[in-house]
């Protein structure tokens, strides 16, 4: 899975956010304000990846038990999927 | 430790156009796709996204505010003049100036997304565009007026 073309993960004035542009404009007219972890997951999704790979990367970066990270990452990715921002 | 905020999906701020004013007044940045032709060649109908930050200061000539008219309509036009109580604005593709009370201004555009291209208002290229557009404005307005006259003359001669 990967973010669709036109879904831009960026930092505007120090605020991590996701904005849709170009072909993806119809998916989200607005923006997603991310915190550090939300931004981390979105950045992982900029290239082809899997949920397991995301969890592995998060384990290297964040200090939390695998099961907690796996459950939360699954929930987060499900929300992104529900918005139609993923190509699978 | 994981900041637990990221688990709360409610902390993602999704909003649609109707809440632009509310978000900006609450001090949050917003982004919206642009519509209309009045800001060509910078903003294109449904092809560009404007990222807007809340207005916390006086606008300067050349800046791009978003304001809301009393009918609720949102407008992004460039500031071409300032007096103590008003801003004077004009679309980059327009000839007429609109005088608006300063209280109408809600935010200011800080970035524009066009396709995969990000244009920051601090970019040299953008600043050159603003300066150049300002410089050619009298010529542009003259061109539009002459073209309008020619068209109306053609129409009236065709209808005779």
């Amino acid at each position: 899975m990967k973010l669709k073309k036109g879904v831009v993960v960026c930092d505007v004035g120090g605020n991590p956010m996701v904005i849709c542009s170009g072909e993806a404009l119809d998916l989200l007219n607005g923006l997603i304000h991310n915190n550090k972890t939300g931004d981390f997951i979105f950045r992982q999704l900029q290239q082809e990846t899997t949920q397991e790979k995301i969890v592995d990367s998060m384990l290297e970066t964040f200090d939390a038990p695998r099961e907690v990270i796996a459950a939360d990452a699954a929930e987060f990715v499900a929300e992104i999927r529900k918005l139609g921002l993923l190509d699978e | 430790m994981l900041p637990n905020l990221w688990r709360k999906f409610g902390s993602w701020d999704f909003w649609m156009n109707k809440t632009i004013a509310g978000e900006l007044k609450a001090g949050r940045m917003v982004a919206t796709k642009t519509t209309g032709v009045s800001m060509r060649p910078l903003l294109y109908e449904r092809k560009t996204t404007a990222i807007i930050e809340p207005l916390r200061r006086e606008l300067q000539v050349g800046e791009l505010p978003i304001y809301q008219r009393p009918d609720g309509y949102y407008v992004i036009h460039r500031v071409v003049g300032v007096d103590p109580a008003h801003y004077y604005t004009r679309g980059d593709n327009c000839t007429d100036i609109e005088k608006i009370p300063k209280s109408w201004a809600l935010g200011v555009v800080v970035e524009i997304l066009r396709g995969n291209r990000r244009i920051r208002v601090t970019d040299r290229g953008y600043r050159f565009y603003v300066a150049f557009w300002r410089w050619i404005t009298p010529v542009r307005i003259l061109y539009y007026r002459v073209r309008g006259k020619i068209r109306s003359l053609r129409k009236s001669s065709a209808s005779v």
Side-chain angles (χ1 to χ4, degrees):
Chain A
M1 61 184 165
K2 187 182 174 185
L3 288 176
K4 281 187 178 162
K5 198 175 171 190
V7 180
V8 182
V9 184
C10 58
D11 186 289
V12 180
N15 305 301
M17 51 182 71
V18 173
I19 300 158
C20 285
S21 144
E23 294 165 25
L25 253 179
D26 289 331
L27 299 172
L28 177 75
N29 182 24
L31 52 81
I32 299 170
H33 291 282
N34 277 318
N35 64 5
K36 197 177 159 191
T37 35
D39 185 56
F40 184 90
I41 294 178
F42 268 107
R43 287 188 188 279
Q44 297 295 309
L45 288 164
Q46 284 180 306
Q47 48 276 324
E48 188 63 44
T49 188
T50 62
Q51 212 152 290
E52 290 72 37
K53 282 185 190 168
I54 293 174
V55 173
D56 290 341
S57 309
M58 291 188 76
L59 274 168
E60 288 168 17
T61 313
F62 301 103
D63 177 22
R66 186 179 184 93
E67 55 274 18
V68 173
I69 287 183
D72 288 349
E75 203 177 341
F76 198 79
V77 169
E79 288 292 321
I80 300 169
R81 185 177 286 124
K82 214 190 292 176
L83 286 169
L85 303 183
L86 291 178
D87 256 340
E88 299 184 81
Chain B
M1 280 300 291
L2 278 171
N4 64 8
L5 178 70
W6 74 290
R7 291 193 218 165
K8 295 179 186 168
F9 302 121
S11 68
W12 293 17
D13 293 326
F14 296 111
W15 50 271
M16 302 304 283
N17 273 351
K18 60 183 179 183
T19 64
I20 284 179
E23 289 294 301
L24 289 171
K25 282 176 186 166
R28 288 189 285 269
M29 293 181 89
V30 298
T32 184
K33 71 179 90 170
T34 60
T35 56
V37 298
S38 66
M39 278 302 293
R40 280 187 181 180
L42 183 68
L43 306 177
Y44 285 86
E45 170 83 16
R46 300 177 65 81
K47 285 184 182 165
T48 42
T49 304
I51 304 170
I52 302 154
E53 71 175 19
L55 190 60
R56 299 187 182 98
R57 57 179 172 76
E58 176 98 354
L59 288 164
Q60 307 290 313
V61 169
E63 286 192 296
L64 212 49
I66 184 166
Y67 55 91
Q68 191 174 27
R69 292 181 181 145
D71 61 5
Y73 195 78
Y74 291 105
V75 180
I76 297 176
H77 277 174
R78 194 173 302 285
V79 174
V80 293
V82 182
D83 75 19
H86 302 93
Y87 293 120
Y88 297 83
T89 68
R90 178 168 53 210
D92 286 358
N93 193 31
C94 299
T95 55
D96 295 331
I97 289 176
E98 184 176 11
K99 181 182 178 182
I100 64 158
K102 285 185 174 172
S103 59
W104 287 10
L106 299 165
V108 60
V109 174
V110 290
E111 265 193 50
I112 294 154
L113 265 77
R114 192 193 295 161
N116 289 328
R117 192 167 160 219
R118 288 177 68 185
I119 304 166
R120 295 173 186 84
V121 296
T122 51
D123 289 350
R124 191 186 288 183
Y126 176 81
R127 285 184 294 158
F128 174 78
Y129 162 79
V130 174
F132 176 73
W133 210 248
R134 204 171 155 196
W135 182 65
I136 64 159
T137 292
V139 179
R140 192 171 53 80
I141 290 173
L142 183 68
Y143 166 73
Y144 283 139
R145 289 196 175 143
V146 170
R147 192 181 66 175
K149 277 266 186 241
I150 291 169
R151 279 182 182 168
S152 63
L153 282 172
R154 274 187 189 157
K155 264 188 191 171
S156 58
S157 62
S159 61
V160 170

